[in-house]
Amino acid sequence: DSLIVTNDLMDQLEVLVINDGSKDKSSEIGHEYEANYPQTFKVIDKSNGNYGSCVNVGLQQASGKYIKVLDADDSFDNKAFFSLLTILKEVDVDLVITDFVCVNEQGNVTQSEEFALPVGQIMKYEELSRYSSFLSLPMHAVTYKTDNLRDIGYKQTEGISYTDQEWMFAPFTTVKTAVYHKFPVYRYLLGREGQTMDPKVLARNISHTKQGIASMIKFYNTFEFEDVYSEYLSQRLLNRIRYIYYTYLTKGNDMDQNELICFDDELKNANKELYDKAEHFYVGKIFKYKFVKKWRKSLYKTPPFSVSIKLLLSRWF
């Protein structure tokens, strides 16, 4: 329902409902909307391939000038979505940035995310990159020009979760111009038990995150992008790499530490520069403790180190 707008905009809007082999009533509901709004809704029923495969199919089928992903758990603020569509009719940039909010299962807003960027001003990438907030943009905030992704043959890793990180990686190398509008289009649901962002699910599926990092490093190593994007790409990668070390080392015996040793070795072989930079990861902003460097020097003696990390966290955070 959050995608239903005025008739003139419905005629210009295309909603691709990618049914990823679901066994509930998702397909039935999607086809109801397709029957009621045939000019807008199109259901694509496919076998299960996880998040990336849905994005890949959607990108293949999309006919609009711009493309935005809406996850199954989430929704749009209807009024803000109307404003976004109105803007997209008139603007010609590679990237449109908008705010988003986090909501609970009752639909109540628990957090609002805004960005310290000039409002309504078309910026070149070089100007955008001067703002620190652009380094942490999530997929909820962005709308891309569709042809940009096709021009680089963009394809997300299939069969795993958390490939939204890839959505914020390779496509950014196509961004020459961008504009930011200060209204919250995306409503991001957090707190549902069993969703991919559930801490228990995150830890259980950490192999998915590592596979996504490997795909991103492969792009970083082999794709010929302009040097102006190097800092952005390396920082996005380092943030993901830090998450892997931090998760394994703070959870101690709850995680198989041999997996982290293998990850460390694979990172060294994949990109020595990123491997070396990992030694400068701090526990936090207050206490400058280089935990990866300490772990490597201790010859991967994890249990006592994980305890020290927990103590530091309890003291400073």
Side-chain angles (χ1 to χ4, degrees):
D1 288 346
S2 71
L3 297 167
I4 307 303
V5 288
T6 57
N7 288 336
D8 60 322
L9 289 176
M10 288 292 280
D11 289 338
Q12 298 179 59
L13 172 65
E14 176 182 61
V15 179
L16 301 177
V17 182
I18 317 297
N19 174 41
D20 193 37
S22 66
K23 297 180 181 180
D24 54 17
K25 292 186 177 181
S26 294
S27 179
E28 179 183 332
I29 294 169
H31 282 289
E32 289 177 3
Y33 279 83
E34 187 178 44
N36 291 330
Y37 305 96
Q39 81 279 24
T40 303
F41 282 80
K42 178 181 180 181
V43 179
I44 301 173
D45 292 303
K46 58 181 283 298
S47 58
N48 181 259
N50 217 317
Y51 189 95
S53 70
C54 295
V55 172
N56 292 338
V57 169
L59 185 56
Q60 289 173 0
Q61 298 289 327
S63 62
K65 180 179 178 181
Y66 290 96
I67 188 165
K68 187 171 181 65
V69 174
L70 176 61
D71 285 352
D73 276 349
D74 305 328
S75 60
F76 288 153
D77 178 284
N78 188 253
K79 291 182 180 179
F81 184 49
F82 175 89
S83 298
L84 174 63
L85 292 175
T86 303
I87 288 168
L88 294 181
K89 286 174 59 179
E90 303 170 352
V91 75
D92 186 24
V93 292
D94 300 314
L95 176 71
V96 179
I97 302 168
T98 49
D99 298 330
F100 70 97
V101 296
C102 299
V103 300
N104 58 24
E105 290 189 89
Q106 290 71 46
N108 299 319
V109 175
T110 58
Q111 186 175 345
S112 297
E113 294 290 342
E114 300 177 350
F115 304 100
L117 297 168
V119 178
Q121 176 182 323
I122 295 179
M123 296 172 284
K124 292 185 178 181
Y125 178 84
E126 290 80 0
E127 182 180 359
L128 176 64
S129 65
R130 298 192 190 111
Y131 294 89
S132 59
S133 59
F134 101 105
L135 281 172
S136 57
L137 287 174
M139 56 83 62
H140 323 301
V142 303
T143 303
Y144 287 116
K145 185 178 285 186
T146 309
D147 283 345
N148 285 18
L149 280 71
R150 292 188 175 132
D151 287 346
I152 61 170
Y154 178 72
K155 188 175 183 181
Q156 284 190 193
T157 304
E158 300 191 1
I160 62 172
S161 301
Y162 314 115
T163 53
D164 58 302
Q165 294 295 327
E166 296 179 26
W167 188 250
M168 297 305 301
F169 194 70
F172 239 79
T173 64
T174 71
V175 175
K176 304 290 186 184
T177 55
V179 66
Y180 167 59
H181 285 281
K182 199 175 183 63
F183 45 78
V185 176
Y186 204 103
R187 293 173 60 84
Y188 178 32
L189 174 66
L190 285 174
R192 181 178 66 79
E193 186 177 356
Q195 68 179 159
T196 55
M197 294 309 294
D198 183 324
K200 295 178 181 177
V201 178
L202 274 166
R204 188 169 65 242
N205 291 338
I206 198 165
S207 63
H208 292 201
T209 303
K210 289 188 288 186
Q211 190 174 336
I213 290 172
S215 177
M216 292 160 72
I217 290 177
K218 183 178 179 181
F219 175 87
Y220 185 75
N221 287 344
T222 61
F223 194 82
E224 294 184 3
F225 53 84
E226 295 178 36
D227 288 342
V228 69
Y229 301 103
S230 294
E231 182 179 358
Y232 172 83
L233 296 178
S234 64
Q235 286 302 314
R236 297 290 300 206
L237 266 172
L238 288 169
N239 287 340
R240 299 308 294 159
I241 291 167
R242 183 189 186 279
Y243 168 77
I244 297 296
Y245 287 106
Y246 185 85
T247 300
Y248 274 97
L249 293 175
T250 54
K251 292 185 178 296
N253 291 331
D254 293 336
M255 308 287 286
D256 184 349
Q257 300 302 313
N258 288 323
E259 292 179 359
L260 181 58
I261 294 171
C262 289
F263 174 80
D264 192 60
D265 188 55
E266 289 168 359
L267 177 61
K268 185 177 183 179
N269 291 329
N271 190 294
K272 186 63 164 51
E273 178 186 357
L274 294 172
Y275 173 86
D276 290 340
K277 286 182 177 180
E279 291 209 339
H280 300 283
F281 291 153
Y282 292 133
V283 171
K285 295 180 179 180
I286 299 175
F287 196 79
K288 305 297 186 180
Y289 185 78
K290 296 182 179 180
F291 65 100
V292 174
K293 183 177 182 179
K294 179 70 174 179
W295 173 71
R296 288 172 178 168
K297 284 190 172 183
S298 69
L299 300 179
Y300 315 122
K301 293 179 181 178
T302 308
F305 176 66
S306 65
V307 172
S308 69
I309 288 289
K310 290 179 181 177
L311 289 173
L312 286 168
L313 288 173
S314 65
R315 180 178 178 184
W316 294 103
F317 298 95

